[in-house]
mmCIF file with all atom_site columns, all heavy atoms in Angstrom:
data_model
loop_
_atom_site.group_PDB
_atom_site.id
_atom_site.type_symbol
_atom_site.label_atom_id
_atom_site.label_alt_id
_atom_site.label_comp_id
_atom_site.label_asym_id
_atom_site.label_entity_id
_atom_site.label_seq_id
_atom_site.pdbx_PDB_ins_code
_atom_site.Cartn_x
_atom_site.Cartn_y
_atom_site.Cartn_z
_atom_site.occupancy
_atom_site.B_iso_or_equiv
_atom_site.pdbx_formal_charge
_atom_site.auth_seq_id
_atom_site.auth_comp_id
_atom_site.auth_asym_id
_atom_site.auth_atom_id
_atom_site.pdbx_PDB_model_num
ATOM 1  N N   . ALA A 1 26 ? 50.783 8.458  2.991   1.00 86.00 ? 819 ALA A N   1
ATOM 2  C CA  . ALA A 1 26 ? 50.962 9.498  2.188   1.00 86.00 ? 819 ALA A CA  1
ATOM 3  C C   . ALA A 1 26 ? 52.134 10.376 2.280   1.00 86.00 ? 819 ALA A C   1
ATOM 4  O O   . ALA A 1 26 ? 52.803 10.658 1.318   1.00 86.00 ? 819 ALA A O   1
ATOM 5  C CB  . ALA A 1 26 ? 49.776 10.382 2.083   1.00 86.00 ? 819 ALA A CB  1
ATOM 6  N N   . LEU A 1 27 ? 52.661 10.464 3.476   1.00 83.00 ? 820 LEU A N   1
ATOM 7  C CA  . LEU A 1 27 ? 53.756 11.425 3.863   1.00 83.00 ? 820 LEU A CA  1
ATOM 8  C C   . LEU A 1 27 ? 54.870 11.015 3.028   1.00 83.00 ? 820 LEU A C   1
ATOM 9  O O   . LEU A 1 27 ? 55.517 11.787 2.295   1.00 83.00 ? 820 LEU A O   1
ATOM 10 C CB  . LEU A 1 27 ? 53.932 11.368 5.326   1.00 83.00 ? 820 LEU A CB  1
ATOM 11 C CG  . LEU A 1 27 ? 55.006 12.368 5.871   1.00 83.00 ? 820 LEU A CG  1
ATOM 12 C CD1 . LEU A 1 27 ? 54.502 13.753 5.733   1.00 83.00 ? 820 LEU A CD1 1
ATOM 13 C CD2 . LEU A 1 27 ? 55.151 12.143 7.430   1.00 83.00 ? 820 LEU A CD2 1
ATOM 14 N N   . PRO A 1 28 ? 55.576 9.669  3.246   1.00 76.00 ? 821 PRO A N   1
ATOM 15 C CA  . PRO A 1 28 ? 56.702 9.426  2.465   1.00 76.00 ? 821 PRO A CA  1
ATOM 16 C C   . PRO A 1 28 ? 56.563 9.371  0.841   1.00 76.00 ? 821 PRO A C   1
ATOM 17 O O   . PRO A 1 28 ? 57.463 9.676  0.213   1.00 76.00 ? 821 PRO A O   1
ATOM 18 C CB  . PRO A 1 28 ? 57.118 8.032  3.000   1.00 76.00 ? 821 PRO A CB  1
ATOM 19 C CG  . PRO A 1 28 ? 55.849 7.428  3.518   1.00 76.00 ? 821 PRO A CG  1
ATOM 20 C CD  . PRO A 1 28 ? 55.047 8.607  3.947   1.00 76.00 ? 821 PRO A CD  1
ATOM 21 N N   . LEU A 1 29 ? 55.264 9.031  0.463   1.00 79.00 ? 822 LEU A N   1
ATOM 22 C CA  . LEU A 1 29 ? 54.959 8.998  -0.964  1.00 79.00 ? 822 LEU A CA  1
ATOM 23 C C   . LEU A 1 29 ? 55.054 10.391 -1.580  1.00 79.00 ? 822 LEU A C   1
ATOM 24 O O   . LEU A 1 29 ? 55.415 10.447 -2.658  1.00 79.00 ? 822 LEU A O   1
ATOM 25 C CB  . LEU A 1 29 ? 53.694 8.186  -1.086  1.00 79.00 ? 822 LEU A CB  1
ATOM 26 C CG  . LEU A 1 29 ? 53.654 6.809  -0.753  1.00 79.00 ? 822 LEU A CG  1
ATOM 27 C CD1 . LEU A 1 29 ? 52.188 6.249  -0.969  1.00 79.00 ? 822 LEU A CD1 1
ATOM 28 C CD2 . LEU A 1 29 ? 54.661 5.953  -1.441  1.00 79.00 ? 822 LEU A CD2 1
ATOM 29 N N   . CYS A 1 30 ? 54.536 11.329 -0.870  1.00 86.00 ? 823 CYS A N   1
ATOM 30 C CA  . CYS A 1 30 ? 54.494 12.762 -1.361  1.00 86.00 ? 823 CYS A CA  1
ATOM 31 C C   . CYS A 1 30 ? 55.960 13.170 -1.489  1.00 86.00 ? 823 CYS A C   1
ATOM 32 O O   . CYS A 1 30 ? 56.316 13.845 -2.609  1.00 86.00 ? 823 CYS A O   1
ATOM 33 C CB  . CYS A 1 30 ? 53.814 13.768 -0.347  1.00 86.00 ? 823 CYS A CB  1
ATOM 34 S SG  . CYS A 1 30 ? 52.018 13.525 -0.371  1.00 86.00 ? 823 CYS A SG  1
ATOM 35 N N   . LEU A 1 31 ? 56.767 12.932 -0.617  1.00 80.00 ? 824 LEU A N   1
ATOM 36 C CA  . LEU A 1 31 ? 58.201 13.174 -0.597  1.00 80.00 ? 824 LEU A CA  1
ATOM 37 C C   . LEU A 1 31 ? 58.852 12.369 -1.854  1.00 80.00 ? 824 LEU A C   1
ATOM 38 O O   . LEU A 1 31 ? 59.653 12.943 -2.505  1.00 80.00 ? 824 LEU A O   1
ATOM 39 C CB  . LEU A 1 31 ? 58.916 13.030 0.717   1.00 80.00 ? 824 LEU A CB  1
ATOM 40 C CG  . LEU A 1 31 ? 58.467 13.880 1.949   1.00 80.00 ? 824 LEU A CG  1
ATOM 41 C CD1 . LEU A 1 31 ? 58.951 13.310 3.174   1.00 80.00 ? 824 LEU A CD1 1
ATOM 42 C CD2 . LEU A 1 31 ? 59.007 15.333 1.607   1.00 80.00 ? 824 LEU A CD2 1
ATOM 43 N N   . GLY A 1 32 ? 58.633 11.245 -1.929  1.00 73.00 ? 825 GLY A N   1
ATOM 44 C CA  . GLY A 1 32 ? 59.210 10.213 -2.843  1.00 73.00 ? 825 GLY A CA  1
ATOM 45 C C   . GLY A 1 32 ? 58.939 10.747 -4.195  1.00 73.00 ? 825 GLY A C   1
ATOM 46 O O   . GLY A 1 32 ? 59.797 10.625 -5.143  1.00 73.00 ? 825 GLY A O   1
ATOM 47 N N   . VAL A 1 33 ? 57.674 10.999 -4.501  1.00 81.00 ? 826 VAL A N   1
ATOM 48 C CA  . VAL A 1 33 ? 57.257 11.384 -5.843  1.00 81.00 ? 826 VAL A CA  1
ATOM 49 C C   . VAL A 1 33 ? 57.900 12.632 -6.276  1.00 81.00 ? 826 VAL A C   1
ATOM 50 O O   . VAL A 1 33 ? 58.306 12.829 -7.434  1.00 81.00 ? 826 VAL A O   1
ATOM 51 C CB  . VAL A 1 33 ? 55.693 11.520 -5.997  1.00 81.00 ? 826 VAL A CB  1
ATOM 52 C CG1 . VAL A 1 33 ? 55.249 12.045 -7.266  1.00 81.00 ? 826 VAL A CG1 1
ATOM 53 C CG2 . VAL A 1 33 ? 55.077 10.178 -5.841  1.00 81.00 ? 826 VAL A CG2 1
ATOM 54 N N   . ALA A 1 34 ? 58.064 13.536 -5.330  1.00 84.00 ? 827 ALA A N   1
ATOM 55 C CA  . ALA A 1 34 ? 58.696 14.879 -5.509  1.00 84.00 ? 827 ALA A CA  1
ATOM 56 C C   . ALA A 1 34 ? 60.097 14.632 -5.909  1.00 84.00 ? 827 ALA A C   1
ATOM 57 O O   . ALA A 1 34 ? 60.660 15.280 -6.917  1.00 84.00 ? 827 ALA A O   1
ATOM 58 C CB  . ALA A 1 34 ? 58.512 15.816 -4.446  1.00 84.00 ? 827 ALA A CB  1
ATOM 59 N N   . LEU A 1 35 ? 60.885 13.838 -5.234  1.00 74.00 ? 828 LEU A N   1
ATOM 60 C CA  . LEU A 1 35 ? 62.165 13.568 -5.431  1.00 74.00 ? 828 LEU A CA  1
ATOM 61 C C   . LEU A 1 35 ? 62.426 12.939 -6.698  1.00 74.00 ? 828 LEU A C   1
ATOM 62 O O   . LEU A 1 35 ? 63.351 13.288 -7.548  1.00 74.00 ? 828 LEU A O   1
ATOM 63 C CB  . LEU A 1 35 ? 62.705 12.604 -4.309  1.00 74.00 ? 828 LEU A CB  1
ATOM 64 C CG  . LEU A 1 35 ? 64.242 12.343 -4.251  1.00 74.00 ? 828 LEU A CG  1
ATOM 65 C CD1 . LEU A 1 35 ? 64.940 13.530 -3.653  1.00 74.00 ? 828 LEU A CD1 1
ATOM 66 C CD2 . LEU A 1 35 ? 64.558 11.111 -3.349  1.00 74.00 ? 828 LEU A CD2 1
ATOM 67 N N   . ALA A 1 36 ? 61.587 11.880 -7.088  1.00 68.00 ? 829 ALA A N   1
ATOM 68 C CA  . ALA A 1 36 ? 61.668 11.173 -8.426  1.00 68.00 ? 829 ALA A CA  1
ATOM 69 C C   . ALA A 1 36 ? 61.402 12.134 -9.649  1.00 68.00 ? 829 ALA A C   1
ATOM 70 O O   . ALA A 1 36 ? 61.835 11.946 -10.657 1.00 68.00 ? 829 ALA A O   1
ATOM 71 C CB  . ALA A 1 36 ? 60.665 9.995  -8.459  1.00 68.00 ? 829 ALA A CB  1
ATOM 72 N N   . SER A 1 37 ? 60.619 13.264 -9.345  1.00 80.00 ? 830 SER A N   1
ATOM 73 C CA  . SER A 1 37 ? 60.154 14.116 -10.322 1.00 80.00 ? 830 SER A CA  1
ATOM 74 C C   . SER A 1 37 ? 61.155 15.223 -10.649 1.00 80.00 ? 830 SER A C   1
ATOM 75 O O   . SER A 1 37 ? 60.995 15.958 -11.583 1.00 80.00 ? 830 SER A O   1
ATOM 76 C CB  . SER A 1 37 ? 58.818 14.791 -9.964  1.00 80.00 ? 830 SER A CB  1
ATOM 77 O OG  . SER A 1 37 ? 57.813 13.852 -9.803  1.00 80.00 ? 830 SER A OG  1
ATOM 78 N N   . GLY A 1 38 ? 62.278 15.237 -9.835  1.00 80.00 ? 831 GLY A N   1
ATOM 79 C CA  . GLY A 1 38 ? 63.188 16.307 -9.965  1.00 80.00 ? 831 GLY A CA  1
ATOM 80 C C   . GLY A 1 38 ? 62.684 17.606 -9.540  1.00 80.00 ? 831 GLY A C   1
ATOM 81 O O   . GLY A 1 38 ? 63.160 18.651 -10.020 1.00 80.00 ? 831 GLY A O   1
#
Side-chain angles (χ1 to χ4, degrees):
L820 188 64
L822 297 179
C823 288
L824 292 166
V826 170
L828 189 75
S830 303

